[in-house]
Amino acid sequence: MLEIKNLHVKLEEEDKVILKGVDLSVEAGSVHAIMGPNGSGKSTLSYVLSGREGYEVTDGTATLEGEDLLDLEPEERAALGLFLAFQYPVEIPGVGNMTFLRTAVNAQRKARGQEELSATDFLKDIRAKAKDLKIDADMLKRPVNVGFSGGEKKRNEILQMAMLEPKMCILDETDSGLDVDAMKLVADGVNALRSEGRSFLVITHYQRLLDHIKPDVVHIMADGRIVKTGGPELALEVENNGYADILAEVA
Ligand code: ADP
Ligand code: MG
Ligand code: MG
């Protein structure tokens, strides 16, 4: 699904190299987690994959189902099926949540060469998905994220993900200060959306999140590289011993 080879990235504005040769291969239908100390480049990796400005790829490749991602605009990446959670955490006063989602879904369908969803079909779809995710119908009508609680924002992000039907979902939870309830919400949402044709890359430094989202593969990132890859037990090792042992072992 997602294949990253030897990815090197520096900041555009400064001569600061952040990713120093990332190799990562995420199979279709699998859930991979990336853990790692603060400042190791985890968020940068998700930003670069989604096409955020300010970063320069100096070497390496990243493909989604064989398509080169790095030359594409963020919207084109989304049309291919890439979804970065929390790309729309902004509040949009005056724009109803449902209207916003319908615009987003139809823009994406257009980019994929699909017909727009009729108002009726869209309503059916969003109501069913909101129900699955235990989202109040009321929240669909409110202006996007305005006055939403932390938990409601999380639910809404999961709803965005459900509606856009991505193939490759990237969730960066590292700096969001999730409390236990929000963490469970995210985990339940991810688990509900797991399927054969959909993969997840969950970035976190909380082992607790991985108690709820059982990853197939766990990677440890340090100083701009993936330095160790293993199964779920690797997350437990981090929980029990921190990163010091692993970093010493790979040094
Ligand atoms: P992580 O998510 O693993 O904590 P980040 O990707 O946020 O790591 O950051 C990796 C390193 O790159 C850090 O040293 C951070 O300070 C630096 N960095 C990332 N983006 C910028 C930026 N826009 N300007 C300056 N430094 C940055
Ligand atoms: Mg950080
Ligand atoms: Mg981060």
Side-chain angles (χ1 to χ4, degrees), residues 101-121:
L101 271 171
R102 190 168 164 215
T103 307
V105 165
N106 280 330
Q108 175 151 305
R109 291 180 68 89
K110 196 173 167 201
R112 287 176 178 172
Q114 298 166 327
E115 265 178 55
E116 280 199 2
L117 274 187
S118 72
T120 322
D121 286 344

Side-chain angles (χ1 to χ4, degrees), residues 11 25-26 37 51 65 78 86 89 98 100 103 127 153 170 182 187 194 213:
L11 290 178
S25 181
V26 181
E65 292 191 307
F86 325 126
M98 190 128 73
F100 173 77
T103 307
R127 283 196 177 132
K153 279 187 181 159
I170 302 176
R194 280 173 100 145
I213 304 175

Side-chain angles (χ1 to χ4, degrees), residues 43-54:
S43 294
T44 300
L45 177 64
S46 65
Y47 297 152
V48 169
L49 290 174
S50 67
R52 185 185 280 206
E53 286 177 20

Side-chain angles (χ1 to χ4, degrees), residues 38 42-43 172 174-175:
N38 230 328
K42 304 181 299 297
S43 294
D172 185 352
T174 304
D175 301 313

Side-chain angles (χ1 to χ4, degrees), residues 123-226:
L123 260 182
K124 250 195 224 159
D125 194 25
I126 196 167
R127 283 196 177 132
K129 282 174 174 155
K131 194 165 169 240
D132 284 347
L133 296 168
K134 302 190 180 69
I135 288 173
D136 202 84
D138 199 43
M139 224 176 88
L140 299 178
K141 295 185 196 136
R142 286 163 59 187
V144 181
N145 285 330
V146 177
F148 282 22
S149 69
E152 285 172 337
K153 279 187 181 159
K154 285 285 149 199
R155 271 185 216 278
N156 206 38
E157 283 156 359
I158 299 290
L159 179 65
Q160 291 172 354
M161 184 156 78
M163 290 304 294
L164 290 169
E165 301 185 338
K167 293 178 184 165
M168 180 74 233
C169 309
I170 302 176
L171 293 91
D172 185 352
E173 294 296 344
T174 304
D175 301 313
S176 53
L178 291 186
D179 63 24
V180 177
D181 288 343
M183 205 177 277
K184 270 225 71 191
L185 266 175
V186 171
D188 289 348
V190 167
N191 290 331
L193 294 175
R194 280 173 100 145
S195 76
E196 249 175 54
R198 179 173 294 145
S199 310
F200 292 85
L201 189 58
V202 181
I203 300 174
T204 183
H205 59 195
Y206 301 112
Q207 197 275 330
R208 274 189 307 171
L209 181 63
L210 305 180
D211 284 339
H212 302 294
I213 304 175
K214 291 261 174 295
D216 300 296
V217 182
V218 175
H219 307 276
I220 307 294
M221 189 159 178
D223 194 23
R225 285 188 199 91
I226 305 273

